[in-house]
Amino acid sequence: MNETIDKTIEVMGKTFATEEARREYFTEELRKKLPELKKMEGFPIGEDEDILKLSNPPFYTACPNPWLNDFIGQWEEEKIQLEKQGKRSKDFEVDEPYAADISEGKNNKFYSLHTYHTKVPHPAIMRYLLHYTQPGDIVFDGFAGTGMTGVAAKQCEKADDKLKHRLGAEYRQAHNDEPNWGERHAILSDLAPAATFISANLNSKYRTDRVKKSITKKLEALYEKNKWMYETKHTDGSLGRINFIVWSEVTACTECQHEFVLWDVMADTEVGRMKKEFNCPNCSTKLNKKKCQTILVSEFDEGLDKVIKSKKYLPVLIKYSAKGKKFFKKIDEKDLQLNKQVENATVIKKMPISRLPEGDESRRNDKYGMTHVHQFYTRRNLIFMSELWEQLDLHEKFVATSILSRNLTKLNRYVLKPRTPHGRVNGPLSGTLYVSSEYVEQNPFDLLQSKIPKFSWDNSGSLTSTNAAQNNLINDDSIDYIFTDPPFGANIMYSELNFIWESWLGVFTNNKQEAIENSAQNKSTLEYQKLMLDCFIDYYRILKPGKWMTVEFSNTSAAVWNGIQTALQNAGFVISNISALDKKHGGIKSMTYSTAVKQDLVISCYKPSSTFDKKFTQHKTSEVGIWDFVEEHLAHLPIHLVKENATTAIIERSPKILFDRLIAFYVQKSLPVPIDAGKFQQGLRERFVARDGMFFTEEQVQEYDKKKAENPEFIQLSILVSSEQDGVLWLKNLLSENKLTYQDIQPQWMQALAGVRKGDVIPELADILEENFLKNEAGQWYVPDAENEADLEKLRNKRLLKQFAAYQEQARNSKKKKLKEIRVEALRAGFKYNYQNKDFKDIVEIGDRIPNNLLMEDEVLLQFYDIASSRV
């Protein structure tokens, strides 16, 4: 970013002798624009000078980027030249969504350059770009994270031959044509300054040779000055260099109050394991870690200039290098003396002392005295990094930030393993600020050297902006395609986890518009859904008519899934397809938790064309408008899908889903739906062609028949899940042939969910499995035999009656007229129980309080209610 090159540089019609001159000019222009930009909702928190210092305008700003529309205008002019050169077509249109499932590993050179909470591998995004766009098109990602959409846009021009060959082969098989390689222009924005800083580096011209030379020189000079802090005695008395130090918590026996180091009583380095149970070294009481008493000690905090109480830790193990080899040793007296010297040393440069914000995750360590950012570092590493940070330019800080919130902090865990009995560094627990009972203090010199990129890249040309996804400065109808991977519910507390990074950068996330579920921010599922709706409304505004958006989804919650789909449709988008994206190697949560997802889901949706809008406006009050919509929507659906060498049914072409999409479209436009489900299905049969439970236009069905003849084996249309009863039946069909784990079931379950009735509550998948199916030792679910099923049904019925009793209590005591959200299966069980006990009054009372559609659309409930009403 501070790089000087030999030729002049032209940016937005202005010529500069060097990159430094360009940056200096636009920084001053940004300074003038800051007062107006600060009026925007979600403007980041930080001093003007810190924002300017972090930015590289006009390409990257650590605040809303005021030059986006200028670049868009320039790119639109360039399209004309590309058309003249034959590199793009003026008549380019995309009718069908990208409907194939994608499997793409994370082991590529860009993905591993820098850590972040979530990322999509850029080759996966490239598949969508090749399908939905052509060279010169403008791509947008409003939840850009580390900017992988920008990397993908540039790599459509610069991909290596191996990747081009692989993606080209896939494209030719799917489209019977060659992909149109060439650069797409990306606009990347995110609420988090930490994310946009990483994105700006990944989407820049990065000369690793220069960075390596510069940062190594600074590291070596600083290490020479501070190497005394990283030295330990070898067995022969010579000095070795510390690679890392393991620290262990000091606790006390709850019986005799004797203090001991957990490592000393738990670590078995001969077999490589931590004992779950152990005896108190003093009184021999049998203990485990949870039963031990936490010890807080008083110490003076230089940063806060006061005495604080913090959890007691002691160093226990050192790994060091000496005479060309690596060794382990227990802490000796000289090591302890060195630690005392380090603790008494002064931090001579400014260190980040920021108080962690209120939050679900960020305050987890308060009770242990870790309340401020600097307390997440050992004194040794704080001294080293605070002095180094002041010397680094932006490209060098990119290297430093890759360790600042993870491996260099006390979040860095140490574990014992059978094959590595002395143990190994295990990294922080993903998505948390958890400090374990054993943490690792690593040598920052070694860490930083290992994080210097191994290659250079030039992804320059993309724009990066720091702003809320709800508040883009982009003009209406400007974007050709959107790929976005938004936060989903309470999965990750981004602003809390980014706080350590941002304390070093000096610019913080303004989380008022952060689209997450978070109790500290008073954001429920409903609030999250409203925030996502606001984001999608702005996405809809900036996307050109007739263009597409791809939304990646990763969450196990049916409520969040339904909320996302509803938000998309309420914003005006029409959902066309849902497919899977398998990133192969999940993060720590997806590898260890039984309810974590292996595959993300991908929603393809489109903004109706201007031509259709005009046509629909003329017929919206008549039945003609219905079939205008259906014809438009059918044209945007996949025609033929192949899975496992067989033609597979397309759920979006089923009459139920077509009707659901129609209703959503009319509701979004505040119009009454002028047709019922029965007449709709009759109209479908009269106007369109049915095949295998799906509907096609005359042109489409010819293509479908031809391709099905090539793949005659057919996978039937799955049961759609719109109630708990549907869900149980769907699972029985799925598990009747194979036993499957939760992780195998969950992606298919999410795709089967289809328009739950208003007021009905479908339990989470994990609960339905628990109540209706059995699980073997391998964690695979299967359909129970008759005897076990009867036992499960008894237990399930007890749970349902307990839930029904809660509804009864709520109905009796609540002043509200209606019970808004009800589990229908609990009502069925309760109504049946009351009927058998001739308690007709309760049936009527509850029936009058539940949403009318639930009562009228459920034959069982209505039958009990009618009978009870006649007998009260």
Side-chain angles (χ1 to χ4, degrees), residues 263 266-275 415-423:
W263 179 269
M266 292 180 65
D268 186 339
T269 55
E270 290 186 7
V271 297
R273 68 181 179 93
M274 297 293 282
K275 299 173 185 175
V415 297
L416 295 182
K417 294 286 185 180
R419 293 183 182 178
T420 53
H422 280 100

Side-chain angles (χ1 to χ4, degrees), residues 429-494:
L429 184 63
S430 177
T432 75
L433 293 179
Y434 165 73
V435 181
S436 72
S437 55
E438 286 77 37
Y439 68 78
V440 194
E441 176 186 12
Q442 289 189 264
N443 185 317
F445 181 85
D446 294 341
L447 267 178
L448 285 165
Q449 288 280 18
S450 71
K451 288 296 182 179
I452 296 173
K454 303 297 187 292
F455 67 100
S456 297
W457 63 87
D458 185 1
N459 291 326
S460 57
S462 294
L463 308 180
T464 304
S465 177
T466 310
N467 59 267
Q470 300 94 324
N471 299 321
N472 289 292
L473 290 171
I474 300 169
N475 292 336
D476 295 0
D477 303 334
S478 295
I479 301 299
D480 294 302
Y481 170 65
I482 296 174
F483 180 93
T484 195
D485 177 19
F488 286 99
N491 272 17
I492 298 172
M493 304 294 109
Y494 287 91

Side-chain angles (χ1 to χ4, degrees), residues 116-231:
Y116 199 65
H117 320 295
T118 56
K119 280 185 283 187
V120 180
H122 75 272
I125 304 174
M126 287 173 69
R127 291 173 170 89
Y128 296 106
L129 294 180
L130 291 172
H131 178 83
Y132 288 112
T133 68
Q134 56 182 335
D137 273 354
I138 303 166
V139 178
F140 176 74
D141 185 352
F143 292 101
T146 59
M148 284 296 165
T149 300
V151 173
K154 192 70 174 184
Q155 290 301 303
C156 281
E157 177 187 36
K158 296 200 166 207
D160 59 49
D161 291 340
K162 185 177 179 181
L163 180 58
K164 272 192 172 183
H165 175 76
R166 181 160 62 91
L167 298 188
E170 285 185 21
Y171 189 94
R172 284 188 291 274
Q173 184 175 6
H175 299 81
N176 197 28
D177 198 2
E178 291 292 328
N180 194 355
W181 296 103
E183 180 184 359
R184 280 70 169 161
H185 299 294
I187 297 177
L188 313 163
S189 73
D190 200 283
L191 188 68
T196 58
F197 173 76
I198 300 169
S199 172
N201 276 275
L202 288 174
N203 289 282
S204 70
K205 186 174 184 179
Y206 198 96
R207 290 287 302 275
T208 292
D209 54 345
R210 297 189 181 190
V211 173
K212 183 176 182 179
K213 183 178 179 180
S214 174
I215 198 172
T216 300
K217 184 178 179 181
K218 294 169 185 176
L219 279 171
E220 289 176 345
L222 189 56
Y223 189 76
E224 189 63 30
K225 175 183 175 182
N226 293 294
K227 67 179 181 179
W228 64 273
M229 297 191 298
Y230 298 93
E231 292 178 336

Side-chain angles (χ1 to χ4, degrees), residues 296-347:
L296 298 179
V297 293
S298 297
E299 60 181 5
F300 181 75
D301 188 306
E302 180 185 343
L304 302 181
D305 195 27
K306 67 178 184 179
V307 175
I308 65 166
K309 285 187 176 293
S310 62
K311 192 185 284 192
K312 187 175 182 179
Y313 282 86
L314 285 177
V316 293
L317 184 71
I318 291 179
K319 185 179 181 181
Y320 66 99
S321 301
K323 300 183 181 301
K325 295 183 179 180
K326 293 185 178 180
F327 303 90
F328 283 93
K329 62 174 282 191
K330 291 183 178 180
I331 293 287
D332 59 31
E333 188 58 36
K334 288 188 177 180
D335 295 320
L336 292 174
Q337 290 175 9
L338 175 65
N339 279 324
K340 287 181 181 178
Q341 284 180 266
V342 172
E343 290 301 318
N344 291 327
T346 303
V347 181

Side-chain angles (χ1 to χ4, degrees), residues 721-732:
V721 178
S722 57
S723 68
E724 183 177 348
Q725 191 178 47
D726 290 344
V728 174
L729 181 59
W730 182 89
L731 286 166
K732 283 184 177 179

Side-chain angles (χ1 to χ4, degrees), residues 37 43 69 117 173 179 189 199 212 215 272 382-383 423 452 466 481 508 514 611 617 674 694 711 736 781 813 844:
L37 293 172
F43 189 89
N69 292 309
H117 320 295
Q173 184 175 6
S189 73
S199 172
K212 183 176 182 179
I215 198 172
L382 196 58
I383 291 170
I452 296 173
T466 310
Y481 170 65
F508 297 87
E514 185 178 21
T611 302
T617 301
M694 302 176 286
N711 300 272
S736 61
W781 292 94
N813 300 326
V844 174

